[in-house]
Amino acid sequence: MREWSGEDGDSVRGTLPQRLLRLLSLLQVRREWSGAELTERLGVSARTLRRDVERLRDLDYRVEGTPGVAGGYRLASGQDLPPLLLDDEEAVAIALALTTATGFEDSALRALAKLERVLPARLRPRLAAVSGAASVVRHPEAQGADPTVLGMLAACRHDRAVTDFTYRDRAGNRSERRVEPHHLVSHGGQWYLIAHDTDRGDWRTFRVDRLHDARPTHGRFEPRELPAPDPATFLTRLFARGTYRYTVTMTLDLAGEEVRGRLYGPLPGRIEPRGPERCELRLSADSLDLVCQYTAAVLSLGATAEWDAPAEVTTRLSGML
């Protein structure tokens, strides 16, 4: 096997094995890199980069290059794919994500075990330390989602395939839906699909655990612009506007920002200003416990409040009013 030497001297030869692994790892992350991007990431000259690429080719990795000033490199697909390469930070990040996954813990644990077997020996103690030290408090109302369904929906979104499925709403009613998948969002221990419903001509949100028999159709769609800055904001705004079984409306002699700052976690509702030191707060949820807990938390702030609530809420809270 050839020895490389040249403009970068002994420092280059000393870091060559690690740098080749880093180069190969980068080529696996993205389909194509420009030469300038790779030299910056690796901290080497363009000449050294060309030599490292030739070294990978000598090791039978199919690295294709594009000539010219804007040229770049990519790892060609084929039957002889390189092994999975992870640096220390990537291995820890994946182990932490798998250890704290909720909704499909069994699948995550199987994946973690496989990952541990294929990693180099030097990374296994780090992986074991993370998986042994980290845990997650499962959301009490989380039902879990089928990873196969999540994968199907993600693939339909990637392929821009119009998607059919059967959906059961919170009242138990079933309906056939045809949508253009836009995004999957995890919130409060549940997975939600944000999509444009083609039959209703509007955006809809679907809980993935209530979704069955998801399948792509032959139809394709052009992605629409979501009426929100990002999917997470869209979902939280939708929840805040929603009307559920129990709804409490409160007017407080307190600025909305102060209410948000003194309460822990996101509210199941919305806060709207009614002046510099006054706001209206609306809480709504299917859970009586949840509505009562947040109503009590708001009342405990000590501000003068006028509020309207269902009889079930006032009865539950009568002991503290």
Side-chain angles (χ1 to χ4, degrees):
M1 190 172 289
R2 288 180 290 180
E3 287 272 332
W4 294 106
S5 62
E7 61 184 11
D8 294 310
D10 293 338
S11 62
V12 170
R13 287 196 297 271
T15 60
L16 182 59
Q18 293 83 4
R19 198 176 65 249
L20 279 181
L21 288 175
R22 176 64 174 158
L23 173 57
L24 189 55
S25 177
L26 289 172
L27 291 172
Q28 288 180 315
V29 171
R30 254 171 45 188
R31 177 161 180 79
E32 187 164 348
W33 293 84
S34 70
E37 289 174 318
L38 288 175
T39 56
E40 182 180 356
R41 290 292 189 100
L42 297 170
V44 299
S45 66
R47 183 179 178 186
T48 297
L49 174 62
R50 289 194 295 271
R51 288 176 170 175
D52 285 354
V53 169
E54 287 300 322
R55 183 68 176 271
L56 289 179
R57 289 169 177 164
D58 286 347
L59 296 172
D60 295 327
Y61 292 114
R62 295 177 54 193
V63 182
E64 297 179 348
T66 304
V69 177
Y73 298 95
R74 68 187 182 95
L75 194 62
S77 59
Q79 294 182 347
D80 299 323
L81 293 177
L84 176 66
L85 295 174
L86 298 172
D87 60 27
D88 293 31
E89 293 180 357
E90 292 167 341
V92 170
I94 292 177
L96 188 61
L98 291 172
T99 302
T100 58
T102 58
F104 30 84
E105 290 86 346
D106 291 343
S107 300
L109 288 175
R110 292 198 303 270
L112 188 62
K114 292 178 181 178
L115 177 65
E116 185 174 2
R117 286 197 296 269
V118 301
L119 283 178
R122 66 179 181 83
L123 288 180
R124 291 174 188 167
R126 183 78 62 87
L127 189 71
V130 172
S131 59
S135 60
V136 64
V137 177
R138 183 179 173 86
H139 194 280
E141 297 182 3
Q143 300 297 316
D146 187 338
T148 304
V149 176
L150 287 170
M152 169 67 75
L153 295 173
C156 290
R157 183 253 186 191
H158 179 270
D159 297 337
R160 300 180 181 178
V162 177
T163 306
D164 287 348
F165 54 81
T166 302
Y167 190 68
R168 175 179 51 82
D169 63 21
R170 66 175 184 263
N173 302 313
R174 291 180 175 270
S175 59
E176 296 298 322
R177 314 303 284 262
R178 174 162 290 184
V179 304
E180 300 170 0
H182 184 278
H183 221 85
L184 290 164
V185 180
S186 177
H187 182 279
Q190 305 287 357
W191 280 97
Y192 296 87
L193 170 68
I194 298 174
H196 194 271
D197 192 309
T198 60
D199 293 333
R200 291 157 180 80
D202 199 3
W203 292 95
R204 291 291 188 270
T205 301
F206 306 93
R207 243 176 64 173
V208 174
D209 64 303
R210 295 175 178 167
L211 188 152
H212 304 280
D213 193 25
R215 56 204 181 276
T217 69
H218 294 296
R220 293 295 182 267
F221 65 90
E222 286 299 318
R224 302 171 188 265
E225 184 177 355
L226 193 67
D230 55 74
T233 301
F234 176 86
L235 189 68
T236 54
R237 286 179 179 175
L238 183 69
F239 286 163
R241 293 195 305 266
T243 299
Y244 302 94
R245 184 175 180 183
Y246 303 101
T247 299
V248 175
T249 303
M250 312 178 73
T251 302
L252 304 173
D253 289 339
L254 203 62
E257 288 304 315
E258 186 172 354
V259 174
R260 289 190 184 93
R262 293 173 62 183
L263 293 176
Y264 176 76
L267 285 170
R270 68 175 185 268
I271 302 175
E272 296 182 353
R274 291 292 182 263
E277 297 297 330
R278 193 174 174 83
C279 71
E280 182 179 280
L281 188 148
R282 180 179 176 277
L283 304 171
S284 188
D286 285 332
S287 169
L288 177 60
D289 289 341
L290 185 64
V291 170
C292 289
Q293 288 166 11
Y294 274 98
T295 301
V298 173
L299 293 175
S300 71
L301 299 178
T304 302
E306 299 174 2
W307 57 298
D308 180 64
E312 296 92 334
V313 176
T314 56
T315 300
R316 178 77 65 87
L317 297 176
S318 60
M320 61 170 294
L321 298 179

